[in-house]
Amino acid sequence: MLTLYHWEPNANSGKPMLALAEKGVPYESHYLDLLRFDQHSPEYLKINPDGTIPALVHGERVLTESTPMMEYIDSEFDGPSLRPRSALERWRMRWWMRYFDDYFARSLSMIGWSVFVGPAVRQRDPQELRAAIGRIPLESRRIAWRKAMFNEFSAAELEESRRRVVFSIDVLEKHLATHRWIAGDSYSLGDINGFNLGYALPLSQPERCNDARTPHIMEWLRKIYERPAARATWAKARTQMGERVKLLERR
Ligand SMILES: N[C@@H](CCC(=O)N[C@@H](CS)C(=O)NCC(=O)O)C(=O)O
C-alpha cells in the first residue's frame, strides 16, 4: 500500500522518513544504495524516471520531490499535524523550506559530494564510472556525478558554496534566537526539512556551528533528535553516516 524508496536517513531521503515516523504511519522500506547507483537501475527508473531518491508509492500514485512529498504525507495520513494552523506560521514554514532546498542544501550538497560522495567511489574502475554516468537520466545529476567522481568541482564554486553555508548558518542562528521552531510556536515540516539538512553541521562545520557560536541551532538540533520519531528514523541507518547524529546526544 505504501512503499518508500530511500537511501540513508539524510537530506532528501530523511525528510519523508522522519515525516512518516512523526505521523506513526507504517510503510514498506525499500533501501537504495546511492553509492552503488541503485537509483539508476532499470527497475527503479520505472518508478522514478528521473533516477533520484526518495520516491513514495501510495497505491497507484507515485510521488517524488521530498518537500511536497512531506506535505502529501501530512495531508493524507492520520497522526499529529505537521503543518501549523496559522497562515503566518504556514507561510514561514514554506519560506524556510524553500530557503533550505534552493539555497542552503544546494551549497552543502556540493561540499558533501566533493568531500564524501566523490572519494567514496573514485577508486573504482574509470570505465565502470563512465558507464554509470551514461545511465543517469538527468543532465544536472550527470554533471554532479562527473565532478564528484573525477574531482572536477572548481575551487571557485566550492569557495562560493562554503561562503553560502557560513552565511546560511548565521541566518538560521538569528532566526532560531527568536523562534522556538522554524515556523514559530509549532514543530513542523520546516523543522524536519532543516534537521535533515543540518544534523551533521556540528561535525562538518565545527568552527561555524558549535555551542559557543550557534547555541540556538545546537539546542534546536538536540530537541529534534530527542524526539522518539527522530531516534527511530536514525536507528534505520545502515552505514556509518547515521552515526553522525550521535554528536547531538547531551553530555
Ligand atoms: N529535489 C529532489 C532531489 C532528489 C535528489 O537529487 N536526491 C539525491 C539524494 S539526496 C539523489 O537521488 N541523488 C542520486 C543521484 O544523483 O544519482 C527531492 O527533493 O526529492
Side-chain angles (χ1 to χ4, degrees):
M1 193 53 192
L2 189 67
T3 306
L4 183 68
Y5 293 82
H6 63 91
W7 186 41
E8 293 292 301
N10 183 63
N12 296 316
S13 285
K15 291 189 229 167
M17 289 174 81
L18 182 50
L20 287 161
E22 291 284 5
K23 304 285 284 183
V25 180
Y27 63 95
E28 193 180 307
S29 158
H30 195 120
Y31 183 90
L32 299 174
D33 187 341
L34 180 136
L35 299 176
R36 289 271 149 210
F37 315 122
D38 290 351
Q39 68 279 17
H40 311 137
S41 70
E43 301 78 49
Y44 183 65
L45 293 182
K46 283 187 202 141
I47 294 157
N48 180 6
D50 282 349
T52 57
I53 35 188
L56 184 70
V57 179
H58 185 205
E60 300 286 297
R61 302 173 184 165
V62 178
L63 298 115
T64 56
E65 285 298 329
S66 55
T67 295
M69 187 189 296
M70 290 198 295
E71 295 226 25
Y72 177 88
I73 290 167
D74 195 37
S75 299
E76 197 70 9
F77 300 103
D78 292 340
S81 171
L82 297 171
R83 284 169 298 176
R85 291 181 78 81
S86 98
L88 178 67
E89 289 209 351
R90 215 171 256 230
W91 163 80
R92 203 179 281 128
M93 175 192 83
R94 293 210 175 99
W95 190 101
W96 272 94
M97 293 206 295
R98 182 163 291 198
Y99 183 74
F100 285 144
D101 290 347
D102 290 353
Y103 192 86
F104 200 167
R106 273 180 209 277
S107 310
L108 207 51
S109 164
M110 184 187 292
I111 297 170
W113 277 61
S114 136
V115 302
F116 169 69
V117 175
V121 299
R122 210 168 281 159
Q123 75 290 357
R124 293 187 209 155
D125 174 12
Q127 291 282 89
E128 187 202 319
L129 295 180
R130 284 208 176 80
I133 292 177
R135 289 190 290 270
I136 301 175
L138 289 186
E139 191 194 11
S140 59
R141 303 313 310 154
R142 276 201 298 277
I143 293 171
W145 270 113
R146 201 198 64 232
K147 289 186 174 183
M149 285 169 177
F150 302 110
N151 206 6
E152 287 177 5
F153 288 109
S154 73
E157 64 187 341
L158 283 172
E159 189 47 41
E160 176 58 10
S161 286
R162 278 187 218 108
R163 188 194 68 76
R164 289 183 185 201
V165 167
V166 171
F167 173 79
S168 299
I169 289 173
D170 292 346
V171 171
L172 182 60
E173 173 64 15
K174 205 166 157 206
H175 178 66
L176 291 171
T178 51
H179 299 83
R180 184 168 145 74
W181 299 108
I182 288 295
D185 291 333
S186 42
Y187 174 77
S188 74
L189 300 178
D191 300 288
I192 294 178
N193 193 326
F195 186 77
N196 272 285
L197 164 84
Y199 75 93
L201 279 173
L203 198 69
S204 66
Q205 306 285 325
E207 267 125 55
R208 299 290 175 177
C209 189
N210 57 53
D211 281 309
R213 195 172 178 278
T214 56
H216 299 96
I217 294 181
M218 294 301 295
E219 181 57 22
W220 170 72
L221 291 174
R222 289 191 182 111
K223 270 188 320 198
I224 299 175
Y225 183 50
E226 279 161 3
R227 298 175 70 86
R231 298 266 170 181
T233 301
W234 265 263
K236 290 180 195 280
R238 296 195 186 186
T239 70
Q240 288 296 316
M241 273 185 95
E243 295 293 308
R244 301 178 303 170
V245 81
K246 297 206 173 131
L247 207 89
L248 299 174
E249 302 277 1
R250 288 189 206 266
R251 295 195 190 109

